[in-house]
Amino acid sequence: AVELAKDWRTDKYLRRLEALMAIADKEKSFIISGTGDVLEPEGDVIGIGSGGNYALASAKVLMDTNLSAEEVAKKAIKVASEICVFTNDNIKIEKINEKYGLDQPMYIQMYRYVQGIVTNFDFGPSFRYKDRSVNDIIAQGFPVTLKYGSWSFLFAVTIGIALGIIAAIRQNSIFDYLSVGFSISAQVLPNFVMAPILVLIFTLYLGWLPGGGWEGGKTQFVIMPVIALSTSYLASIARLTRSSMLEVLNSNFIRTAKAKGLPKYKIILFHALKPTLLPVISYLGPAFVGMITGSVVIDMFFSTGGIGLHFVNGALNRDYSTIMGITILVGCLTITFNLLVDILYAWIDPKIRY
């Protein structure tokens, strides 16, 4: 409306008003499109296109041919504030709502969404990407995250448990002090600090590894994401293992095993290790889910294309179906691995029964 009132002197708007007057003589409604074309809509629709860049006018105003172009523009603005506006944007919104089922009552939308997930594991179409479903987006990003997440889990568990056991066996030694110091430092060092440090050392200074990318999961592209993602988990596992092992080594049944003259390695492997792992396993369940679902920082910093990157893009683009799909996936994985942890509890400690 402001644009039409401001530029009423131009020939472009004069020609447009003349066309509107011609339609007004026939007592028809009209639409001014985003390109300035005058269209005849279906039904009694008076509206504009391209988000409201052109003023509305009614046939009643334009039938008065004695008005100047400026007066027509001003009256059209006044009429536009009084009539029901039906723009091309409104038409698009209705089509979008119909496409995604958003025109249905909330309980029907909920029923269809849950039915699709339960029966076909279908999270529906993406609100952002045309002709792509949420399943396609997850299928693209999840294998990437699963690969470096699994390697991160194996690295953290192997090194963390070994480090904790050795530190507990050699309590109050230099190795124990170094292990505890490393665990505390690594645990408080977030991955958004670890990632640029790794790039600074291994890419800029030494030139050994690429600073980002994936390239099908080649080894040189996996190393730094694995280290950055697993370091804090490794530190937590090492601390849990050390404290648990120290507690078990002071137990009565360990003293009995020592009194019987069993070798130290047999005491550690066959008597102390299984009860030591109980608190560690309770931590490994959610830790494994966290690693295989990836880290947003890792995906964003190293440009791996994992599921964390799609989650952030979904939030920024208001792609709510993608956000819901990834959230439900993470929730299902969390429930599954917590259940496996409970089963492992009963296997490790026969005293535990459900």
Side-chain angles (χ1 to χ4, degrees):
V2 174
E3 290 185 13
L4 185 53
K6 182 172 58 178
D7 299 332
W8 63 270
R9 294 183 181 87
T10 63
D11 293 338
K12 177 176 64 175
Y13 284 103
L14 288 175
R15 288 196 302 269
R16 201 167 297 162
L17 288 172
E18 289 175 358
L20 293 176
M21 290 178 186
I23 296 177
D25 289 338
K26 301 177 182 179
E27 297 184 354
K28 291 182 179 180
S29 58
F30 60 87
I31 287 182
I32 307 177
S33 71
T35 58
D37 299 324
V38 180
L39 308 176
E40 295 187 18
E42 297 179 0
D44 295 331
V45 180
I46 301 177
I48 58 175
S50 298
N53 293 331
Y54 303 99
L56 294 175
S58 68
K60 183 178 179 180
V61 172
L62 293 175
M63 285 178 68
D64 190 350
T65 56
N66 295 325
L67 296 177
S68 65
E70 181 180 9
E71 291 173 335
V72 169
K74 290 181 179 180
K75 286 198 174 184
I77 294 172
K78 182 179 179 181
V79 172
S81 64
E82 298 174 353
I83 65 176
C84 178
V85 179
F86 193 85
T87 69
N88 286 351
D89 290 340
N90 297 121
I91 298 174
K92 291 178 181 178
I93 291 173
E94 284 194 357
K95 290 183 178 179
I96 291 173
N97 289 338
E98 182 179 357
K99 177 181 178 181
Y100 294 109
L102 300 177
D103 56 340
Q104 299 296 323
M106 186 62 66
Y107 67 91
I108 295 180
Q109 296 182 41
M110 187 67 181
Y111 172 76
R112 289 178 177 177
Y113 187 73
V114 174
Q115 184 186 37
I117 295 174
V118 174
T119 56
N120 300 319
F121 205 69
D122 182 13
F123 295 108
S126 169
F127 287 177
R128 172 63 178 174
Y129 302 103
K130 186 178 181 181
D131 299 329
R132 291 195 69 188
S133 65
V134 177
N135 290 32
D136 296 334
I137 296 174
I138 293 176
Q140 178 184 352
F142 188 68
V144 175
T145 308
L146 180 63
K147 182 170 184 177
Y148 75 74
S150 299
W151 280 112
S152 300
F153 180 77
L154 292 175
F155 180 75
V157 170
T158 304
I159 303 300
I161 291 178
L163 197 65
I165 291 175
I166 297 173
I169 294 173
R170 300 183 178 181
Q171 186 182 14
N172 297 327
S173 64
I174 296 179
F175 183 87
D176 184 27
Y177 296 147
L178 293 176
S179 174
V180 172
F182 166 77
S183 299
I184 296 174
S185 301
Q187 197 168 9
V188 299
L189 188 65
N191 50 20
F192 62 82
V193 175
M194 175 68 72
I197 290 176
L198 293 174
V199 172
L200 187 66
I201 295 175
F202 293 104
T203 302
L204 296 181
Y205 289 165
L206 301 177
W208 291 353
L209 298 171
W214 188 244
E215 296 294 331
K218 294 180 181 179
T219 304
Q220 61 268 31
F221 291 92
V222 178
I223 292 176
M224 284 200 293
V226 166
I227 295 175
L229 181 59
S230 63
T231 301
S232 60
Y233 293 102
L234 187 154
S236 299
I237 293 171
R239 293 189 65 191
L240 280 173
T241 305
R242 178 184 177 276
S243 60
S244 180
M245 178 62 77
L246 287 175
E247 183 179 355
V248 171
L249 290 178
N250 292 323
S251 302
N252 292 330
F253 71 94
I254 296 296
R255 294 194 187 96
T256 302
K258 290 179 180 179
K260 290 181 177 180
L262 291 176
K264 193 171 186 178
Y265 76 93
K266 285 188 177 182
I267 295 175
I268 299 297
L269 294 178
F270 299 107
H271 295 275
L273 184 59
K274 287 179 67 173
T276 297
L277 293 179
L278 282 175
V280 178
I281 288 177
S282 65
Y283 173 78
L284 292 183
F288 183 61
V289 174
M291 282 188 269
I292 66 170
T293 53
S295 168
V296 172
V297 175
I298 301 301
D299 287 329
M300 296 293 291
F301 193 88
F302 291 106
S303 301
T304 59
I307 200 171
L309 180 62
H310 293 295
F311 187 83
V312 173
N313 289 337
L316 295 177
N317 296 327
R318 297 184 180 181
D319 193 354
Y320 303 118
S321 57
T322 299
I323 297 173
M324 285 293 297
I326 296 175
T327 303
I328 292 174
L329 175 64
V330 173
C332 292
L333 291 174
T334 302
I335 294 172
T336 301
F337 286 104
N338 282 338
L339 177 62
L340 292 177
V341 166
D342 292 339
I343 296 173
L344 285 175
Y345 254 83
W347 175 73
I348 292 175
D349 190 354
K351 295 184 293 183
I352 298 176
R353 289 292 180 266
Y354 300 108

PDB file of all heavy atoms in Angstrom, residues 220-240:
ATOM      1  N   GLN A 220      42.168 -41.000   7.962  1.00  0.00           N
ATOM      2  CA  GLN A 220      42.728 -39.697   8.327  1.00  0.00           C
ATOM      3  C   GLN A 220      41.654 -38.674   8.657  1.00  0.00           C
ATOM      4  O   GLN A 220      41.906 -37.696   9.367  1.00  0.00           O
ATOM      5  CB  GLN A 220      43.636 -39.161   7.208  1.00  0.00           C
ATOM      6  CG  GLN A 220      42.947 -38.928   5.877  1.00  0.00           C
ATOM      7  CD  GLN A 220      43.026 -40.126   4.966  1.00  0.00           C
ATOM      8  OE1 GLN A 220      43.058 -41.260   5.444  1.00  0.00           O
ATOM      9  NE2 GLN A 220      43.086 -39.873   3.658  1.00  0.00           N
ATOM     10  N   PHE A 221      40.426 -38.889   8.170  1.00  0.00           N
ATOM     11  CA  PHE A 221      39.337 -37.970   8.475  1.00  0.00           C
ATOM     12  C   PHE A 221      38.592 -38.358   9.749  1.00  0.00           C
ATOM     13  O   PHE A 221      37.784 -37.574  10.251  1.00  0.00           O
ATOM     14  CB  PHE A 221      38.343 -37.922   7.309  1.00  0.00           C
ATOM     15  CG  PHE A 221      38.882 -37.269   6.069  1.00  0.00           C
ATOM     16  CD1 PHE A 221      39.498 -38.024   5.092  1.00  0.00           C
ATOM     17  CD2 PHE A 221      38.781 -35.900   5.898  1.00  0.00           C
ATOM     18  CE1 PHE A 221      40.003 -37.428   3.947  1.00  0.00           C
ATOM     19  CE2 PHE A 221      39.279 -35.292   4.755  1.00  0.00           C
ATOM     20  CZ  PHE A 221      39.897 -36.055   3.773  1.00  0.00           C
ATOM     21  N   VAL A 222      38.822 -39.550  10.256  1.00  0.00           N
ATOM     22  CA  VAL A 222      38.109 -40.051  11.432  1.00  0.00           C
ATOM     23  C   VAL A 222      38.878 -39.802  12.717  1.00  0.00           C
ATOM     24  O   VAL A 222      38.284 -39.659  13.789  1.00  0.00           O
ATOM     25  CB  VAL A 222      37.803 -41.557  11.260  1.00  0.00           C
ATOM     26  CG1 VAL A 222      37.114 -42.120  12.493  1.00  0.00           C
ATOM     27  CG2 VAL A 222      36.945 -41.790  10.034  1.00  0.00           C
ATOM     28  N   ILE A 223      40.203 -39.739  12.634  1.00  0.00           N
ATOM     29  CA  ILE A 223      41.054 -39.729  13.837  1.00  0.00           C
ATOM     30  C   ILE A 223      40.722 -38.561  14.762  1.00  0.00           C
ATOM     31  O   ILE A 223      40.458 -38.752  15.964  1.00  0.00           O
ATOM     32  CB  ILE A 223      42.540 -39.703  13.430  1.00  0.00           C
ATOM     33  CG1 ILE A 223      42.919 -41.021  12.758  1.00  0.00           C
ATOM     34  CG2 ILE A 223      43.427 -39.459  14.660  1.00  0.00           C
ATOM     35  CD1 ILE A 223      44.343 -41.062  12.237  1.00  0.00           C
ATOM     36  N   MET A 224      40.737 -37.349  14.249  1.00  0.00           N
ATOM     37  CA  MET A 224      40.509 -36.190  15.125  1.00  0.00           C
ATOM     38  C   MET A 224      39.089 -36.116  15.674  1.00  0.00           C
ATOM     39  O   MET A 224      38.908 -35.792  16.861  1.00  0.00           O
ATOM     40  CB  MET A 224      40.899 -34.903  14.404  1.00  0.00           C
ATOM     41  CG  MET A 224      42.395 -34.685  14.322  1.00  0.00           C
ATOM     42  SD  MET A 224      42.875 -32.964  14.003  1.00  0.00           S
ATOM     43  CE  MET A 224      42.261 -32.764  12.336  1.00  0.00           C
ATOM     44  N   PRO A 225      38.029 -36.399  14.886  1.00  0.00           N
ATOM     45  CA  PRO A 225      36.704 -36.446  15.506  1.00  0.00           C
ATOM     46  C   PRO A 225      36.600 -37.480  16.620  1.00  0.00           C
ATOM     47  O   PRO A 225      35.941 -37.231  17.641  1.00  0.00           O
ATOM     48  CB  PRO A 225      35.779 -36.796  14.326  1.00  0.00           C
ATOM     49  CG  PRO A 225      36.479 -36.278  13.137  1.00  0.00           C
ATOM     50  CD  PRO A 225      37.937 -36.483  13.412  1.00  0.00           C
ATOM     51  N   VAL A 226      37.249 -38.635  16.449  1.00  0.00           N
ATOM     52  CA  VAL A 226      37.211 -39.674  17.485  1.00  0.00           C
ATOM     53  C   VAL A 226      37.902 -39.194  18.757  1.00  0.00           C
ATOM     54  O   VAL A 226      37.378 -39.356  19.871  1.00  0.00           O
ATOM     55  CB  VAL A 226      37.861 -40.968  16.960  1.00  0.00           C
ATOM     56  CG1 VAL A 226      38.135 -41.938  18.110  1.00  0.00           C
ATOM     57  CG2 VAL A 226      36.969 -41.629  15.916  1.00  0.00           C
ATOM     58  N   ILE A 227      39.060 -38.594  18.620  1.00  0.00           N
ATOM     59  CA  ILE A 227      39.798 -38.114  19.796  1.00  0.00           C
ATOM     60  C   ILE A 227      39.018 -36.991  20.497  1.00  0.00           C
ATOM     61  O   ILE A 227      38.880 -36.985  21.730  1.00  0.00           O
ATOM     62  CB  ILE A 227      41.197 -37.619  19.388  1.00  0.00           C
ATOM     63  CG1 ILE A 227      42.030 -38.790  18.859  1.00  0.00           C
ATOM     64  CG2 ILE A 227      41.911 -36.969  20.576  1.00  0.00           C
ATOM     65  CD1 ILE A 227      43.382 -38.384  18.317  1.00  0.00           C
ATOM     66  N   ALA A 228      38.511 -36.045  19.724  1.00  0.00           N
ATOM     67  CA  ALA A 228      37.779 -34.921  20.321  1.00  0.00           C
ATOM     68  C   ALA A 228      36.511 -35.385  21.029  1.00  0.00           C
ATOM     69  O   ALA A 228      36.148 -34.845  22.077  1.00  0.00           O
ATOM     70  CB  ALA A 228      37.433 -33.899  19.238  1.00  0.00           C
ATOM     71  N   LEU A 229      35.820 -36.385  20.474  1.00  0.00           N
ATOM     72  CA  LEU A 229      34.570 -36.845  21.064  1.00  0.00           C
ATOM     73  C   LEU A 229      34.797 -37.746  22.264  1.00  0.00           C
ATOM     74  O   LEU A 229      34.030 -37.721  23.231  1.00  0.00           O
ATOM     75  CB  LEU A 229      33.752 -37.587  20.001  1.00  0.00           C
ATOM     76  CG  LEU A 229      32.389 -38.142  20.428  1.00  0.00           C
ATOM     77  CD1 LEU A 229      31.477 -37.017  20.925  1.00  0.00           C
ATOM     78  CD2 LEU A 229      31.729 -38.881  19.276  1.00  0.00           C
ATOM     79  N   SER A 230      35.853 -38.561  22.239  1.00  0.00           N
ATOM     80  CA  SER A 230      36.020 -39.598  23.266  1.00  0.00           C
ATOM     81  C   SER A 230      36.835 -39.159  24.472  1.00  0.00           C
ATOM     82  O   SER A 230      36.822 -39.848  25.499  1.00  0.00           O
ATOM     83  CB  SER A 230      36.702 -40.825  22.640  1.00  0.00           C
ATOM     84  OG  SER A 230      38.006 -40.501  22.171  1.00  0.00           O
ATOM     85  N   THR A 231      37.537 -38.045  24.395  1.00  0.00           N
ATOM     86  CA  THR A 231      38.471 -37.683  25.462  1.00  0.00           C
ATOM     87  C   THR A 231      37.773 -37.499  26.806  1.00  0.00           C
ATOM     88  O   THR A 231      38.210 -38.040  27.835  1.00  0.00           O
ATOM     89  CB  THR A 231      39.229 -36.399  25.089  1.00  0.00           C
ATOM     90  OG1 THR A 231      39.946 -36.616  23.872  1.00  0.00           O
ATOM     91  CG2 THR A 231      40.226 -36.028  26.184  1.00  0.00           C
ATOM     92  N   SER A 232      36.688 -36.753  26.850  1.00  0.00           N
ATOM     93  CA  SER A 232      36.003 -36.524  28.132  1.00  0.00           C
ATOM     94  C   SER A 232      35.375 -37.810  28.655  1.00  0.00           C
ATOM     95  O   SER A 232      35.382 -38.060  29.869  1.00  0.00           O
ATOM     96  CB  SER A 232      34.934 -35.441  27.952  1.00  0.00           C
ATOM     97  OG  SER A 232      33.975 -35.834  26.991  1.00  0.00           O
ATOM     98  N   TYR A 233      34.826 -38.640  27.774  1.00  0.00           N
ATOM     99  CA  TYR A 233      34.271 -39.931  28.202  1.00  0.00           C
ATOM    100  C   TYR A 233      35.376 -40.841  28.727  1.00  0.00           C
ATOM    101  O   TYR A 233      35.200 -41.548  29.722  1.00  0.00           O
ATOM    102  CB  TYR A 233      33.547 -40.611  27.041  1.00  0.00           C
ATOM    103  CG  TYR A 233      32.299 -39.916  26.586  1.00  0.00           C
ATOM    104  CD1 TYR A 233      32.288 -39.137  25.435  1.00  0.00           C
ATOM    105  CD2 TYR A 233      31.116 -40.041  27.303  1.00  0.00           C
ATOM    106  CE1 TYR A 233      31.138 -38.499  25.011  1.00  0.00           C
ATOM    107  CE2 TYR A 233      29.948 -39.398  26.885  1.00  0.00           C
ATOM    108  CZ  TYR A 233      29.973 -38.633  25.743  1.00  0.00           C
ATOM    109  OH  TYR A 233      28.830 -38.005  25.331  1.00  0.00           O
ATOM    110  N   LEU A 234      36.519 -40.837  28.051  1.00  0.00           N
ATOM    111  CA  LEU A 234      37.661 -41.643  28.501  1.00  0.00           C
ATOM    112  C   LEU A 234      38.078 -41.260  29.906  1.00  0.00           C
ATOM    113  O   LEU A 234      38.353 -42.128  30.750  1.00  0.00           O
ATOM    114  CB  LEU A 234      38.818 -41.453  27.512  1.00  0.00           C
ATOM    115  CG  LEU A 234      40.085 -42.292  27.652  1.00  0.00           C
ATOM    116  CD1 LEU A 234      40.766 -42.426  26.292  1.00  0.00           C
ATOM    117  CD2 LEU A 234      41.076 -41.682  28.640  1.00  0.00           C
ATOM    118  N   ALA A 235      38.139 -39.970  30.168  1.00  0.00           N
ATOM    119  CA  ALA A 235      38.549 -39.498  31.489  1.00  0.00           C
ATOM    120  C   ALA A 235      37.558 -39.943  32.564  1.00  0.00           C
ATOM    121  O   ALA A 235      37.965 -40.380  33.658  1.00  0.00           O
ATOM    122  CB  ALA A 235      38.671 -37.982  31.480  1.00  0.00           C
ATOM    123  N   SER A 236      36.274 -39.857  32.276  1.00  0.00           N
ATOM    124  CA  SER A 236      35.263 -40.285  33.254  1.00  0.00           C
ATOM    125  C   SER A 236      35.353 -41.786  33.522  1.00  0.00           C
ATOM    126  O   SER A 236      35.254 -42.230  34.672  1.00  0.00           O
ATOM    127  CB  SER A 236      33.864 -39.926  32.739  1.00  0.00           C
ATOM    128  OG  SER A 236      33.739 -38.536  32.562  1.00  0.00           O
ATOM    129  N   ILE A 237      35.544 -42.568  32.465  1.00  0.00           N
ATOM    130  CA  ILE A 237      35.661 -44.021  32.633  1.00  0.00           C
ATOM    131  C   ILE A 237      36.898 -44.363  33.450  1.00  0.00           C
ATOM    132  O   ILE A 237      36.865 -45.263  34.316  1.00  0.00           O
ATOM    133  CB  ILE A 237      35.695 -44.709  31.257  1.00  0.00           C
ATOM    134  CG1 ILE A 237      34.344 -44.553  30.560  1.00  0.00           C
ATOM    135  CG2 ILE A 237      36.055 -46.188  31.382  1.00  0.00           C
ATOM    136  CD1 ILE A 237      34.339 -45.008  29.117  1.00  0.00           C
ATOM    137  N   ALA A 238      38.005 -43.697  33.197  1.00  0.00           N
ATOM    138  CA  ALA A 238      39.234 -43.963  33.941  1.00  0.00           C
ATOM    139  C   ALA A 238      39.057 -43.653  35.435  1.00  0.00           C
ATOM    140  O   ALA A 238      39.490 -44.438  36.293  1.00  0.00           O
ATOM    141  CB  ALA A 238      40.387 -43.140  33.362  1.00  0.00           C
ATOM    142  N   ARG A 239      38.444 -42.554  35.767  1.00  0.00           N
ATOM    143  CA  ARG A 239      38.223 -42.204  37.169  1.00  0.00           C
ATOM    144  C   ARG A 239      37.277 -43.182  37.853  1.00  0.00           C
ATOM    145  O   ARG A 239      37.511 -43.603  38.997  1.00  0.00           O
ATOM    146  CB  ARG A 239      37.664 -40.789  37.267  1.00  0.00           C
ATOM    147  CG  ARG A 239      38.651 -39.704  36.839  1.00  0.00           C
ATOM    148  CD  ARG A 239      38.109 -38.336  37.174  1.00  0.00           C
ATOM    149  NE  ARG A 239      37.999 -38.159  38.620  1.00  0.00           N
ATOM    150  CZ  ARG A 239      37.373 -37.149  39.204  1.00  0.00           C
ATOM    151  NH1 ARG A 239      36.777 -36.243  38.466  1.00  0.00           N
ATOM    152  NH2 ARG A 239      37.320 -37.064  40.510  1.00  0.00           N
ATOM    153  N   LEU A 240      36.190 -43.559  37.171  1.00  0.00           N
ATOM    154  CA  LEU A 240      35.251 -44.524  37.753  1.00  0.00           C
ATOM    155  C   LEU A 240      35.926 -45.876  37.981  1.00  0.00           C
ATOM    156  O   LEU A 240      35.740 -46.511  39.024  1.00  0.00           O
ATOM    157  CB  LEU A 240      34.044 -44.699  36.825  1.00  0.00           C
ATOM    158  CG  LEU A 240      32.959 -43.630  36.884  1.00  0.00           C
ATOM    159  CD1 LEU A 240      31.934 -43.854  35.782  1.00  0.00           C
ATOM    160  CD2 LEU A 240      32.271 -43.648  38.242  1.00  0.00           C
TER     161      LEU A 240
END
